[in-house]
Amino acid sequence: MTQQNLVFPARVLRGAGVINQLGAICAGLGQRALLIGGHQALQAVEAQVRAQLLTANVTLLAQEWFGGETSITHINRLAAIASELHAEVLIGVGGGKSLDTVKAVGAQLGLPVVTLPTIAATCSAVTPLSIRYDDNGNFFDIFPLPQAPAAVIIDSELLANAPPRWLAAGLGDTLAKWYEFRAVSARHPARAGNALSSLAHSQICYDVIAEHGPAAYAAVQRSESSASLDQVLDAIFTWAGLTSLMSNGAHAAASHAIYEGFTFCDKTREFGHGLLVGFGNLCLLALEHRADEEVLDEMRLARDCGVPLTLGEIAELDERELALIVRESVHAPDMANMAEAVTEARLLAVIERVERLAARI
């Protein structure tokens, strides 16, 4: 019989003000908490986290910067700090790299992790894996973890006040769930129960964003929470997370391969995972030989969600830099999931087609 191992987060809370349940949740996991995150994330939530833990009689041992990259160096450094402080629960705050780092530390030490995303840029808050990089930010691997977060706290009021580009990143990354899974299914049709479930969840991701994404992005540009924002937060975190969980991560294709290529260029590496994936989505559609009108329709959705349509919106690249990105994209493992082989010449031609179509938007 075929065995499977699906690892789900224990609790997922989403809504306005759910950060106010952090103390009670942590108290049920341990009495000694270590807070880890990005500089801006720590500044944004440290006071609320401290107050929540104080009320719940949980000791805040320290707060630590995650290091800037989800690298083995920083994972080991933070694991040593957590061990020295005898931490019993880890609280991760920030975006994807920060949360992936904290999850990896928790898995290494066997400690429960509570994730508190301060931007809605990826589904990292819920998934039992870490995307690791080297210390310079070059993509290294996708590292599966034996545990998912003990709790995920998705506060829509907090996320409504984050920079809008990070919601755009989350929308771009979540749209990829459908575009990529559909592309992967062309080569490896979804027949088994988990694969069919994951494909269905990816379709939900797309449908929710197509209906609510533009309105949610417009609301966040006004720093407002809204019903549309709640809907897309469910898509970005819950539905996208379920897509990844049910497929055991085997659902990525050209969109993520192109993102991985971007990480090898100094000018584009820090632009934002989901924004780069969002541009990769458009290239994926072109790689599938989809008609101009279909690609244009998806470009309009991407534009209304704040996703870049052209390389010029990402960075000014010379021929050498673009050649590096294309080469690394083609050789990224995820590109092998496309139905047809992708060469450097073909990918470059596809990028040029996307640029021409963008001029018509």
Side-chain angles (χ1 to χ4, degrees), residues 271-289:
F271 188 74
H273 172 94
L275 294 169
L276 297 172
V277 169
F279 177 77
N281 289 337
L282 307 177
C283 297
L284 180 150
L285 294 170
L287 283 168
E288 292 183 301
H289 309 289

PDB file of all heavy atoms in Angstrom, residues 271-289:
ATOM      1  N   PHE A 271      13.552  41.700  -4.818  1.00  0.00           N
ATOM      2  CA  PHE A 271      12.348  42.393  -5.285  1.00  0.00           C
ATOM      3  C   PHE A 271      11.083  41.857  -4.623  1.00  0.00           C
ATOM      4  O   PHE A 271      10.120  42.588  -4.432  1.00  0.00           O
ATOM      5  CB  PHE A 271      12.231  42.271  -6.808  1.00  0.00           C
ATOM      6  CG  PHE A 271      11.136  43.101  -7.401  1.00  0.00           C
ATOM      7  CD1 PHE A 271      11.271  44.476  -7.515  1.00  0.00           C
ATOM      8  CD2 PHE A 271       9.962  42.510  -7.840  1.00  0.00           C
ATOM      9  CE1 PHE A 271      10.264  45.243  -8.059  1.00  0.00           C
ATOM     10  CE2 PHE A 271       8.936  43.267  -8.389  1.00  0.00           C
ATOM     11  CZ  PHE A 271       9.094  44.643  -8.502  1.00  0.00           C
ATOM     12  N   GLY A 272      11.081  40.599  -4.264  1.00  0.00           N
ATOM     13  CA  GLY A 272       9.902  40.008  -3.620  1.00  0.00           C
ATOM     14  C   GLY A 272       9.506  38.720  -4.306  1.00  0.00           C
ATOM     15  O   GLY A 272       9.227  38.710  -5.514  1.00  0.00           O
ATOM     16  N   HIS A 273       9.502  37.633  -3.540  1.00  0.00           N
ATOM     17  CA  HIS A 273       9.218  36.300  -4.081  1.00  0.00           C
ATOM     18  C   HIS A 273       7.947  36.290  -4.928  1.00  0.00           C
ATOM     19  O   HIS A 273       7.957  35.913  -6.106  1.00  0.00           O
ATOM     20  CB  HIS A 273       9.105  35.309  -2.920  1.00  0.00           C
ATOM     21  CG  HIS A 273       8.638  33.949  -3.317  1.00  0.00           C
ATOM     22  ND1 HIS A 273       9.504  32.917  -3.621  1.00  0.00           N
ATOM     23  CD2 HIS A 273       7.383  33.436  -3.470  1.00  0.00           C
ATOM     24  CE1 HIS A 273       8.813  31.840  -3.932  1.00  0.00           C
ATOM     25  NE2 HIS A 273       7.524  32.118  -3.846  1.00  0.00           N
ATOM     26  N   GLY A 274       6.828  36.691  -4.332  1.00  0.00           N
ATOM     27  CA  GLY A 274       5.550  36.585  -5.031  1.00  0.00           C
ATOM     28  C   GLY A 274       5.431  37.505  -6.220  1.00  0.00           C
ATOM     29  O   GLY A 274       4.734  37.180  -7.197  1.00  0.00           O
ATOM     30  N   LEU A 275       6.089  38.664  -6.168  1.00  0.00           N
ATOM     31  CA  LEU A 275       6.058  39.575  -7.315  1.00  0.00           C
ATOM     32  C   LEU A 275       6.815  38.975  -8.494  1.00  0.00           C
ATOM     33  O   LEU A 275       6.383  39.075  -9.647  1.00  0.00           O
ATOM     34  CB  LEU A 275       6.656  40.927  -6.921  1.00  0.00           C
ATOM     35  CG  LEU A 275       5.859  41.703  -5.873  1.00  0.00           C
ATOM     36  CD1 LEU A 275       6.659  42.900  -5.358  1.00  0.00           C
ATOM     37  CD2 LEU A 275       4.524  42.167  -6.445  1.00  0.00           C
ATOM     38  N   LEU A 276       7.942  38.339  -8.214  1.00  0.00           N
ATOM     39  CA  LEU A 276       8.715  37.685  -9.265  1.00  0.00           C
ATOM     40  C   LEU A 276       7.986  36.449  -9.786  1.00  0.00           C
ATOM     41  O   LEU A 276       7.969  36.176 -10.992  1.00  0.00           O
ATOM     42  CB  LEU A 276      10.104  37.326  -8.746  1.00  0.00           C
ATOM     43  CG  LEU A 276      10.973  38.526  -8.347  1.00  0.00           C
ATOM     44  CD1 LEU A 276      12.254  38.058  -7.664  1.00  0.00           C
ATOM     45  CD2 LEU A 276      11.295  39.401  -9.554  1.00  0.00           C
ATOM     46  N   VAL A 277       7.373  35.687  -8.874  1.00  0.00           N
ATOM     47  CA  VAL A 277       6.544  34.552  -9.299  1.00  0.00           C
ATOM     48  C   VAL A 277       5.386  35.050 -10.164  1.00  0.00           C
ATOM     49  O   VAL A 277       5.022  34.421 -11.170  1.00  0.00           O
ATOM     50  CB  VAL A 277       6.019  33.772  -8.082  1.00  0.00           C
ATOM     51  CG1 VAL A 277       4.943  32.762  -8.488  1.00  0.00           C
ATOM     52  CG2 VAL A 277       7.163  33.054  -7.373  1.00  0.00           C
ATOM     53  N   GLY A 278       4.808  36.191  -9.785  1.00  0.00           N
ATOM     54  CA  GLY A 278       3.698  36.751 -10.551  1.00  0.00           C
ATOM     55  C   GLY A 278       4.089  37.060 -11.988  1.00  0.00           C
ATOM     56  O   GLY A 278       3.321  36.797 -12.930  1.00  0.00           O
ATOM     57  N   PHE A 279       5.279  37.626 -12.187  1.00  0.00           N
ATOM     58  CA  PHE A 279       5.776  37.832 -13.552  1.00  0.00           C
ATOM     59  C   PHE A 279       6.017  36.478 -14.215  1.00  0.00           C
ATOM     60  O   PHE A 279       5.707  36.284 -15.396  1.00  0.00           O
ATOM     61  CB  PHE A 279       7.059  38.662 -13.537  1.00  0.00           C
ATOM     62  CG  PHE A 279       7.661  38.853 -14.904  1.00  0.00           C
ATOM     63  CD1 PHE A 279       7.123  39.767 -15.786  1.00  0.00           C
ATOM     64  CD2 PHE A 279       8.750  38.090 -15.312  1.00  0.00           C
ATOM     65  CE1 PHE A 279       7.658  39.931 -17.068  1.00  0.00           C
ATOM     66  CE2 PHE A 279       9.292  38.242 -16.578  1.00  0.00           C
ATOM     67  CZ  PHE A 279       8.745  39.170 -17.462  1.00  0.00           C
ATOM     68  N   GLY A 280       6.545  35.522 -13.453  1.00  0.00           N
ATOM     69  CA  GLY A 280       6.757  34.185 -13.984  1.00  0.00           C
ATOM     70  C   GLY A 280       5.469  33.523 -14.444  1.00  0.00           C
ATOM     71  O   GLY A 280       5.470  32.733 -15.408  1.00  0.00           O
ATOM     72  N   ASN A 281       4.342  33.835 -13.773  1.00  0.00           N
ATOM     73  CA  ASN A 281       3.053  33.290 -14.201  1.00  0.00           C
ATOM     74  C   ASN A 281       2.753  33.640 -15.651  1.00  0.00           C
ATOM     75  O   ASN A 281       2.254  32.809 -16.426  1.00  0.00           O
ATOM     76  CB  ASN A 281       1.920  33.857 -13.333  1.00  0.00           C
ATOM     77  CG  ASN A 281       1.913  33.328 -11.927  1.00  0.00           C
ATOM     78  OD1 ASN A 281       2.440  32.262 -11.645  1.00  0.00           O
ATOM     79  ND2 ASN A 281       1.305  34.079 -11.019  1.00  0.00           N
ATOM     80  N   LEU A 282       3.019  34.874 -16.008  1.00  0.00           N
ATOM     81  CA  LEU A 282       2.725  35.338 -17.363  1.00  0.00           C
ATOM     82  C   LEU A 282       3.606  34.613 -18.379  1.00  0.00           C
ATOM     83  O   LEU A 282       3.145  34.245 -19.464  1.00  0.00           O
ATOM     84  CB  LEU A 282       2.913  36.853 -17.446  1.00  0.00           C
ATOM     85  CG  LEU A 282       2.145  37.659 -16.387  1.00  0.00           C
ATOM     86  CD1 LEU A 282       2.458  39.143 -16.506  1.00  0.00           C
ATOM     87  CD2 LEU A 282       0.643  37.401 -16.498  1.00  0.00           C
ATOM     88  N   CYS A 283       4.855  34.400 -18.002  1.00  0.00           N
ATOM     89  CA  CYS A 283       5.764  33.646 -18.875  1.00  0.00           C
ATOM     90  C   CYS A 283       5.309  32.205 -19.011  1.00  0.00           C
ATOM     91  O   CYS A 283       5.388  31.605 -20.096  1.00  0.00           O
ATOM     92  CB  CYS A 283       7.185  33.713 -18.330  1.00  0.00           C
ATOM     93  SG  CYS A 283       7.887  35.389 -18.283  1.00  0.00           S
ATOM     94  N   LEU A 284       4.819  31.615 -17.918  1.00  0.00           N
ATOM     95  CA  LEU A 284       4.315  30.241 -17.961  1.00  0.00           C
ATOM     96  C   LEU A 284       3.163  30.125 -18.953  1.00  0.00           C
ATOM     97  O   LEU A 284       3.105  29.183 -19.759  1.00  0.00           O
ATOM     98  CB  LEU A 284       3.878  29.799 -16.569  1.00  0.00           C
ATOM     99  CG  LEU A 284       3.310  28.375 -16.429  1.00  0.00           C
ATOM    100  CD1 LEU A 284       3.609  27.820 -15.047  1.00  0.00           C
ATOM    101  CD2 LEU A 284       1.808  28.339 -16.662  1.00  0.00           C
ATOM    102  N   LEU A 285       2.235  31.069 -18.911  1.00  0.00           N
ATOM    103  CA  LEU A 285       1.105  31.034 -19.832  1.00  0.00           C
ATOM    104  C   LEU A 285       1.585  31.098 -21.274  1.00  0.00           C
ATOM    105  O   LEU A 285       1.055  30.402 -22.156  1.00  0.00           O
ATOM    106  CB  LEU A 285       0.157  32.200 -19.533  1.00  0.00           C
ATOM    107  CG  LEU A 285      -0.546  32.155 -18.174  1.00  0.00           C
ATOM    108  CD1 LEU A 285      -1.255  33.469 -17.902  1.00  0.00           C
ATOM    109  CD2 LEU A 285      -1.531  30.996 -18.112  1.00  0.00           C
ATOM    110  N   ALA A 286       2.601  31.914 -21.519  1.00  0.00           N
ATOM    111  CA  ALA A 286       3.155  31.997 -22.868  1.00  0.00           C
ATOM    112  C   ALA A 286       3.882  30.715 -23.253  1.00  0.00           C
ATOM    113  O   ALA A 286       3.808  30.270 -24.411  1.00  0.00           O
ATOM    114  CB  ALA A 286       4.095  33.203 -22.966  1.00  0.00           C
ATOM    115  N   LEU A 287       4.569  30.101 -22.303  1.00  0.00           N
ATOM    116  CA  LEU A 287       5.236  28.824 -22.573  1.00  0.00           C
ATOM    117  C   LEU A 287       4.231  27.738 -22.953  1.00  0.00           C
ATOM    118  O   LEU A 287       4.560  26.801 -23.696  1.00  0.00           O
ATOM    119  CB  LEU A 287       6.040  28.369 -21.353  1.00  0.00           C
ATOM    120  CG  LEU A 287       7.372  29.073 -21.105  1.00  0.00           C
ATOM    121  CD1 LEU A 287       7.900  28.725 -19.716  1.00  0.00           C
ATOM    122  CD2 LEU A 287       8.396  28.704 -22.170  1.00  0.00           C
ATOM    123  N   GLU A 288       3.008  27.861 -22.449  1.00  0.00           N
ATOM    124  CA  GLU A 288       1.960  26.884 -22.771  1.00  0.00           C
ATOM    125  C   GLU A 288       1.284  27.185 -24.110  1.00  0.00           C
ATOM    126  O   GLU A 288       0.319  26.508 -24.477  1.00  0.00           O
ATOM    127  CB  GLU A 288       0.894  26.871 -21.672  1.00  0.00           C
ATOM    128  CG  GLU A 288       1.373  26.335 -20.343  1.00  0.00           C
ATOM    129  CD  GLU A 288       0.262  26.286 -19.321  1.00  0.00           C
ATOM    130  OE1 GLU A 288      -0.328  27.340 -19.014  1.00  0.00           O
ATOM    131  OE2 GLU A 288      -0.037  25.193 -18.831  1.00  0.00           O
ATOM    132  N   HIS A 289       1.751  28.203 -24.823  1.00  0.00           N
ATOM    133  CA  HIS A 289       1.205  28.591 -26.137  1.00  0.00           C
ATOM    134  C   HIS A 289      -0.237  29.059 -26.022  1.00  0.00           C
ATOM    135  O   HIS A 289      -1.041  28.860 -26.957  1.00  0.00           O
ATOM    136  CB  HIS A 289       1.293  27.418 -27.143  1.00  0.00           C
ATOM    137  CG  HIS A 289       2.641  26.794 -27.237  1.00  0.00           C
ATOM    138  ND1 HIS A 289       3.723  27.430 -27.819  1.00  0.00           N
ATOM    139  CD2 HIS A 289       3.103  25.585 -26.816  1.00  0.00           C
ATOM    140  CE1 HIS A 289       4.782  26.642 -27.763  1.00  0.00           C
ATOM    141  NE2 HIS A 289       4.439  25.513 -27.148  1.00  0.00           N
TER     142      HIS A 289
END
